[in-house]
């Protein structure tokens, strides 16, 4: 596309009725993204529904092979299968695609972009740009300012992931199963593999028998390397689903090349774009999903030395970020904005 320069592009959202789709619509509206027209697509189940944008009810249409005629920018969030099938068609019709699924993230031809970290990789795009995994975005955006000045050699993280990452139906399952639990009713999980209310479980993706890591953990490991442009960084993750609606939290420990202090980390993060320090030891007030929900910024706190590293090169901290915003829709819209401004 002409990258939407000028009066505004014709923009399509694929998966407009989903948890991320709804936030994409809201982000475009709140950030006053310049667009000539917004077209909303979902499955046949949603055809005929309407969704509100800039004070008007817009129709949701069934996604078909002809949906992209005249579209210049297409924001996809309808799962990998839909992206694999329809994103190439959108590109062929002349659109630039920003894809929230994992379908193209590791394709060397496809930029995997967090605008605060690697906006320069957008320059070489060939029509498809990938929006990274939500945990990857939320964990590494605050680490980038540190990595730039004192290379992170090793990174370990444990996640506390919200329902929203598994879509709108999983959020509903959390609400419904919590209600059932409190009322003493039995509830059969429909979306997630285990009881969700007052419980937590290892992330609901496939375990690779060769490594013992689940797909979510593998994504975080591989995507961190690609986004940082650092194939050497050693990463390990344990991803867990917790009964929280829409913000992911993570306990992170990283080891730098040179010694580093918590004060230096605070100093670097105070100025960092997209990050907010919430690090009040006196009040024991640190990042919480309740505070991160609905916020653009990733909250960072509990910044301290990892005392198991006698060399003083390691830091532990805790982050919380809205999975639907910076972890998905907001990052995608920021990519679209970066494309416009070049
Ligand atoms: P629909 O609401 O019609 O099922 P979530 O991640 O919250 O589960 O949302 C998934 C989004 O992807 C929804 O908007 C859903 O539409 C859409 N979707 C799922 N399958 C398809 C498909 N085959 N074609 C187009 N949109 C799809």
């Amino acid at each position: 596309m002409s990258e939407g320069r000028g009066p505004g592009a014709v923009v399509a959202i694929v998966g407009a009725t989903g948890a991320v789709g709804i936030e994409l619509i809201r982000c475009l509206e709140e950030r006053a993204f310049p667009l000539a027209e917004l077209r909303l697509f979902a499955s046949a189940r949603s055809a005929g529904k309407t969704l509100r944008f800039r004070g008007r009810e817009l129709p949701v249409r069934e996604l078909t092979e002809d949906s992209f005629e005249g579209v210049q920018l297409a924001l996809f969030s309808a799962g990998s299968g839909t992206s694999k099938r329809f994103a190439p068609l959108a590109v062929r019709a002349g659109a630039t695609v920003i894809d929230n699924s994992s379908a193209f993230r590791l394709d060397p031809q496809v930029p995997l972009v967090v605008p605060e970290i690697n906006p320069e990789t957008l320059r070489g795009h060939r029509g498809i740009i990938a929006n990274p995994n939500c945990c990857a975005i939320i964990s590494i955006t605050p680490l980038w300012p540190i990595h730039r000045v004192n290379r992170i050699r090793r990174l370990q993280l444990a996640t506390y992931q919200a329902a929203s990452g598994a879509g709108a139906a999983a959020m509903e399952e959390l609400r419904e199963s919590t209600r059932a639990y409190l009322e003493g009713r039995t509830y059969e999980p429909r979306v997630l593999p285990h009881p969700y209310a007052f419980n937590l479980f290892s992330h609901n993706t496939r375990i690779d028998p060769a490594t013992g890591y689940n797909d979510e953990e593998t994504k975080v490991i591989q995507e961190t390397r690609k986004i940082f442009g650092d194939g050497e960084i050693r990463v390990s993750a344990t991803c867990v689903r917790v009964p929280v609606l829409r913000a992911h939290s993570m306990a992170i420990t990283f080891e730098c090349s040179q010694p580093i202090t918590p004060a230096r980390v605070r100093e670097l993060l105070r100025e960092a774009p997209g990050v907010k320090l919430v690090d009040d030891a006196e009040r024991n007030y640190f990042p919480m999903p309740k505070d991160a929900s609905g916020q653009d910024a990733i909250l960072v706190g509990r910044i301290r030395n990892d005392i198991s590293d006698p060399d003083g090169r390691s830091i532990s901290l805790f982050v919380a970020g809205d999975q639907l915003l910076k972890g998905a829709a907001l990052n995608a819209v920021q990519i679209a904005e970066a494309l416009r401004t070049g």
Side-chain angles (χ1 to χ4, degrees):
M1 73 170 188
S2 59
E3 314 296 29
R5 284 179 204 283
V10 174
V11 177
I13 296 179
V14 175
T17 51
V20 174
I22 298 287
E23 294 299 330
L24 282 167
I25 297 170
R26 201 172 290 160
C27 282
L28 291 172
E29 175 156 350
E30 279 178 7
R31 298 171 74 86
F33 187 86
L35 54 80
E37 187 190 338
L38 182 61
R39 298 183 190 167
L40 305 179
F41 298 100
S43 78
R45 293 179 289 275
S46 298
K49 279 189 187 166
T50 62
L51 292 168
R52 214 170 170 73
F53 178 68
R54 292 184 183 161
R56 286 178 50 214
E57 292 295 325
L58 300 186
V60 179
R61 296 177 241 189
E62 178 185 355
L63 181 68
T64 68
E65 298 193 348
D66 305 322
S67 295
F68 300 100
E69 223 182 285
V71 170
Q72 288 149 321
L73 175 66
L75 305 170
F76 273 66
S77 191
S80 268
T82 302
S83 292
K84 279 185 188 142
R85 176 164 169 222
F86 288 95
L89 297 177
V91 172
R92 215 166 298 147
T96 297
V97 169
I98 300 173
D99 180 35
N100 195 49
S101 83
S102 60
F104 306 104
R105 287 183 189 147
L106 297 180
D107 182 332
Q109 313 274 12
V110 172
L112 181 65
V113 179
V114 178
E116 288 88 344
I117 301 178
N118 61 346
E120 71 287 350
T121 59
L122 284 171
R123 253 176 260 134
H125 84 79
R126 300 183 176 194
I128 299 179
I129 295 145
N131 206 36
N133 168 275
C134 45
C135 277
I137 298 175
I138 292 168
S139 57
I140 71 176
T141 301
L143 301 184
W144 177 247
I146 302 159
H147 187 70
R148 285 178 69 180
V149 300
N150 187 349
R151 188 177 158 265
I152 294 173
R153 301 199 300 203
R154 182 163 179 237
L155 167 63
Q156 282 180 292
L157 50 108
T159 71
Y160 307 71
Q161 295 183 226
S164 55
M171 295 171 81
E172 196 46 33
E173 178 148 303
L174 176 56
R175 288 193 194 92
E176 275 299 308
S177 60
T178 304
R179 236 175 260 131
Y181 187 101
L182 291 173
E183 290 166 6
R185 288 184 283 116
T186 53
Y187 181 92
E188 276 307 315
R190 285 183 286 252
V191 183
L192 292 164
H194 304 292
Y196 204 0
F198 302 97
N199 189 28
L200 55 82
F201 45 86
S202 185
H203 195 275
N204 48 289
T205 40
R206 190 190 62 95
I207 302 270
D208 178 346
T211 63
Y213 282 75
N214 63 44
D215 285 346
E216 184 80 352
E217 292 159 352
T218 305
K219 284 178 196 172
V220 174
I221 295 165
Q222 295 175 330
E223 293 181 27
T224 295
R225 294 194 183 119
K226 179 163 175 178
I227 298 163
F228 273 10
D230 182 347
E232 303 293 304
I233 186 168
R234 286 174 284 148
V235 187
S236 149
T238 301
C239 289
V240 172
R241 190 75 74 185
V242 298
V244 164
L245 273 175
R246 62 176 286 170
H248 287 356
S249 304
M250 283 139 214
I252 299 175
T253 294
F254 60 87
E255 180 193 318
C256 291
S257 312
Q258 305 297 324
I260 187 160
T261 63
R264 177 68 175 137
V265 170
R266 273 187 212 102
E267 183 187 31
L268 288 165
L269 294 186
R270 210 164 278 128
E271 304 299 318
V275 171
K276 186 172 159 192
L277 279 180
V278 178
D279 202 21
D280 186 347
E282 223 160 87
R283 289 168 58 223
N284 206 333
Y285 207 107
F286 298 111
M288 285 186 266
K290 129 186 156 2
D291 290 342
S293 296
Q295 274 217 41
D296 288 357
I298 296 165
L299 312 182
V300 186
R302 292 235 57 209
I303 300 167
R304 62 206 191 277
N305 276 120
D306 168 10
I307 54 171
S308 70
D309 175 5
D311 298 332
R313 284 183 279 119
S314 301
I315 295 285
S316 292
L317 48 75
F318 195 76
V319 306
D322 191 312
Q323 186 272 331
L324 294 175
L325 290 177
K326 187 57 188 167
L330 171 64
N331 198 71
V333 172
Q334 287 175 318
I335 292 172
E337 290 169 348
L339 282 172
R340 274 187 55 79
T341 54

